[in-house]
Amino acid sequence: MYITQVFNVLHDWWRYIVGVIIAIIGVVIFSMPHMIAIGVETAIGNVDLSQMQDTNYMMSLFDPNLNLVFVLLPFAGGLLALLLAVKYLHKQSITHLTTTRKKIDWKRFWFIFFIWGIVSSGIVLLDYYMAPEDYELNFQLVPFLMLCVIAILLVPLQTSFEEYLFRGYLMQGIGVLVKNKWVPLILTSLVFGLLHIANPEVDKLGSVIMVYYIGTGLFLGIMTLMDEGLELSLGFHAANNLFTALLVTADWTAFQTHSVLKDLSDPSEMGIEEIFVPVFVVFPILLFILSKKYNWTNWKDKLLGNIVEPPTEDYKILEEL
């Protein structure tokens, strides 16, 4: 039903291409403050032009909190542009894009938000307890409080943009085009993972980290299709990025923040199990727990089944559902 309900709105293939272009334009427009700031620093001689390709160097130009704003703002612009495209280009409501339920189920969002927030934070704290030499205390009260405000306001916009774009807009758009569920599930997971290839983590950890990114996209896509909505993927993604930004940072990660802890470990020494365990152990366990809580059934059809356009007279029924 999550994909099928799109037949009830304007769903021509070209509209999805235009919608993606509009979202990209939103990202570019909201990237301008960062570009302007770099231009000002360059004009006053504070930038070594020979190091412009060095991500760590570019991030060192500004305070971590300001850097975080610059990193997250484009996602906020992309989200705004995407939702405007959905509303005016497709005549689709945000609720309709989010879920098959009559209204967005925030209980689902907060359930997995706190579950994953506790689990992910617990993993970091356990690692800190077992290997304290790999960390240093990075806590500074005022910068941390500023970080909290920035992260709480902007991180959910960043994660929501990615979820609405990949698990929502593209999942639905590709689904109605190819008339099945497995193609949009695989494609959106692959593209989601590959778009992270520019992250600093990839340079340090190698291409094997793509297993984690693509696997995470697949996990979020499975949740969306099985639960017939984005609430769970929105909550998980927001918790994952928010708690990480607040709790731990490192010189080789995309989020370099005034977090509580700083990871000093050598990323090249990270074991392959640290990448594979979340994807092949932790995520399946979470799916099992969620399936029991929300009574998921008919996995094969929901993940691999065909999409059949309902008769015209059934559109109103779909809308009411």
Side-chain angles (χ1 to χ4, degrees):
M1 289 298 295
Y2 180 65
I3 295 177
T4 307
Q5 67 178 354
V6 181
F7 286 114
N8 201 35
V9 300
L10 299 177
H11 57 275
D12 311 271
W13 63 269
W14 60 266
R15 294 179 188 273
Y16 288 93
I17 295 177
V18 173
V20 170
I21 293 173
I22 291 173
I24 293 172
I25 292 173
V27 170
V28 172
I29 291 175
F30 277 64
S31 298
M32 293 303 294
H34 194 191
M35 298 177 189
I36 293 171
I38 292 175
V40 171
E41 290 296 305
T42 302
I44 62 180
N46 290 342
V47 177
D48 183 349
L49 297 179
S50 66
Q51 299 190 58
M52 288 287 283
Q53 300 302 316
D54 187 335
T55 302
N56 286 333
Y57 172 74
M58 294 303 295
M59 295 192 74
S60 70
L61 292 176
F62 306 102
D63 175 80
N65 280 334
L66 182 56
N67 260 326
L68 187 63
V69 172
F70 287 148
V71 168
L72 296 177
L73 266 182
F75 295 95
L79 178 62
L80 175 62
L82 179 65
L83 295 182
L84 288 175
V86 167
K87 180 176 177 62
Y88 294 104
L89 186 62
H90 296 271
K91 306 300 181 183
Q92 183 179 16
S93 68
I94 295 176
T95 300
H96 195 273
L97 177 65
T98 306
T99 185
T100 55
R101 289 166 272 276
K102 292 183 178 180
K103 59 182 181 180
I104 298 173
D105 187 349
W106 290 107
K107 289 183 179 179
R108 277 173 154 82
F109 175 94
W110 289 115
F111 173 77
I112 198 165
F113 178 88
F114 287 114
I115 288 292
W116 187 243
I118 293 170
V119 170
S120 59
S121 299
I123 292 172
V124 171
L125 294 175
L126 178 62
D127 191 51
Y128 174 67
Y129 175 78
M130 296 179 65
E133 68 277 5
D134 288 342
Y135 296 88
E136 72 174 11
L137 189 63
N138 191 52
F139 181 76
Q140 301 175 62
L141 180 59
V142 174
F144 178 76
L145 292 177
M146 293 176 64
L147 167 64
C148 288
V149 173
I150 294 168
I152 290 171
L153 290 177
L154 294 181
V155 167
L157 298 181
Q158 176 245 326
T159 57
S160 294
F161 172 57
E162 295 184 359
E163 291 311 304
Y164 274 112
L165 178 62
F166 291 102
R167 259 63 65 179
Y169 193 68
L170 293 178
M171 183 81 79
Q172 292 183 340
I174 297 172
V176 297
L177 177 64
V178 300
K179 300 296 191 296
N180 65 51
K181 300 169 187 175
W182 66 269
V183 169
L185 174 61
I186 298 299
L187 277 182
T188 56
S189 301
L190 284 173
V191 176
F192 173 77
L194 291 174
L195 284 180
H196 288 78
I197 202 167
N199 282 17
E201 295 93 328
V202 178
D203 288 335
K204 294 296 183 179
L205 301 175
S207 57
V208 69
I209 190 63
M210 298 309 296
V211 172
Y212 174 76
Y213 289 132
I214 295 173
T216 300
L218 188 62
F219 165 68
L220 293 168
I222 291 172
M223 279 200 302
T224 298
L225 291 179
M226 290 305 303
D227 200 51
E228 302 285 7
L230 289 176
E231 293 98 335
L232 293 176
S233 65
L234 286 168
F236 176 92
H237 203 161
N240 187 72
N241 289 25
L242 180 58
F243 282 88
T244 298
L246 296 177
L247 190 56
V248 64
T249 188
D251 290 335
W252 43 271
T253 60
F255 281 1
Q256 296 182 25
T257 65
H258 286 295
S259 57
V260 176
L261 298 171
K262 184 173 183 178
D263 187 348
L264 303 176
S265 62
D266 184 352
S268 63
E269 297 178 357
M270 179 181 290
I272 197 170
E273 68 278 359
E274 296 181 64
I275 296 172
F276 278 60
V277 167
V279 175
F280 297 105
V281 178
V282 178
F283 291 169
I285 291 174
L286 276 175
L287 287 174
F288 175 77
I289 293 172
L290 293 170
S291 71
K292 295 302 180 183
K293 179 173 176 59
Y294 296 114
N295 300 312
W296 293 348
T297 58
N298 201 15
W299 288 66
K300 182 178 179 180
D301 181 64
K302 285 191 174 182
L303 299 181
L304 307 175
N306 293 325
I307 295 172
V308 180
E309 182 173 1
T312 305
E313 60 268 19
D314 289 346
Y315 284 170
K316 183 172 179 57
I317 297 175
L318 275 176
E319 185 177 30
E320 291 173 352
L321 291 175

